[in-house]
Amino acid sequence: MDSREAEMLAEPVVREVVNCIAEKRYADIEKYAEFESRSLSEFMEIIEGFLELNELPYMDRFEVPCTFRPQYEYHQLSCILYKDGRGFHVLYGLTTDGELNDLTLLMDFLFTESGALAAKILDAHVL
């Protein structure tokens, strides 16, 4: 597996999680991924607190293109493969009005014993 294949596997789940955040449907996130180190309420407090602190009205949906400047190759969704083959780590740069807002969604996608891929939300924080 390479990072492009990992992105293709992660994208549908990340899309749903990001859209839940954008639509403030936090309780629905657990339909797509489980929380690893934070609870749902802690995660919601992080997102809502970040929005309030930075005077941002919302997070964009997954489909909103990022208008990153200066123009160079930028990937809003990136994957880092674990060397041991157990899965990969995902970083997704959240945006507001197509602009990066400095908050990054961090997730793990780990292969289970049956070969399925388990999605886990690790955190959301400024990188």
Side-chain angles (χ1 to χ4, degrees), residues 96-108:
T96 300
D97 294 330
E99 301 280 334
L100 287 174
N101 60 30
D102 292 332
L103 195 65
T104 302
L105 174 66
L106 296 111
M107 296 180 70
D108 266 345

Side-chain angles (χ1 to χ4, degrees), residues 59-111:
M59 296 289 180
D60 288 334
R61 290 178 51 84
F62 185 89
E63 295 80 9
V64 174
C66 179
T67 55
F68 187 78
R69 289 179 197 88
Q71 288 296 324
Y72 69 88
E73 188 172 339
Y74 171 75
H75 299 281
Q76 193 170 5
L77 172 66
S78 59
C79 296
I80 302 163
L81 303 175
Y82 288 117
K83 290 181 182 179
D84 62 7
R86 65 187 168 107
F88 50 92
H89 186 71
V90 170
L91 300 137
Y92 181 84
L94 295 163
T95 61
T96 300
D97 294 330
E99 301 280 334
L100 287 174
N101 60 30
D102 292 332
L103 195 65
T104 302
L105 174 66
L106 296 111
M107 296 180 70
D108 266 345
F109 285 77
L110 305 173
F111 291 105

Side-chain angles (χ1 to χ4, degrees), residues 11-82:
E11 185 176 313
V13 175
V14 174
R15 172 186 309 276
E16 294 298 336
V17 170
V18 169
N19 289 345
C20 285
I21 292 169
E23 297 166 6
K24 299 184 185 277
R25 294 183 294 113
Y26 295 105
D28 290 346
I29 291 172
E30 292 178 307
K31 294 178 184 175
Y32 308 102
E34 62 184 58
F35 287 92
E36 183 68 17
S37 57
R38 298 204 181 270
S39 68
L40 171 61
S41 62
E42 289 172 321
F43 185 77
M44 184 177 79
E45 286 176 26
I46 289 169
I47 302 292
E48 292 299 317
F50 180 86
L51 290 171
E52 183 178 329
L53 181 68
N54 292 282
E55 298 178 350
L56 298 171
Y58 53 83
M59 296 289 180
D60 288 334
R61 290 178 51 84
F62 185 89
E63 295 80 9
V64 174
C66 179
T67 55
F68 187 78
R69 289 179 197 88
Q71 288 296 324
Y72 69 88
E73 188 172 339
Y74 171 75
H75 299 281
Q76 193 170 5
L77 172 66
S78 59
C79 296
I80 302 163
L81 303 175
Y82 288 117

Side-chain angles (χ1 to χ4, degrees), residues 1 4-14 88 109 111 117:
M1 172 184 302
R4 183 66 196 131
E5 291 171 317
E7 286 175 19
M8 289 173 49
L9 289 171
E11 185 176 313
V13 175
V14 174
F88 50 92
F109 285 77
F111 291 105
L117 202 54

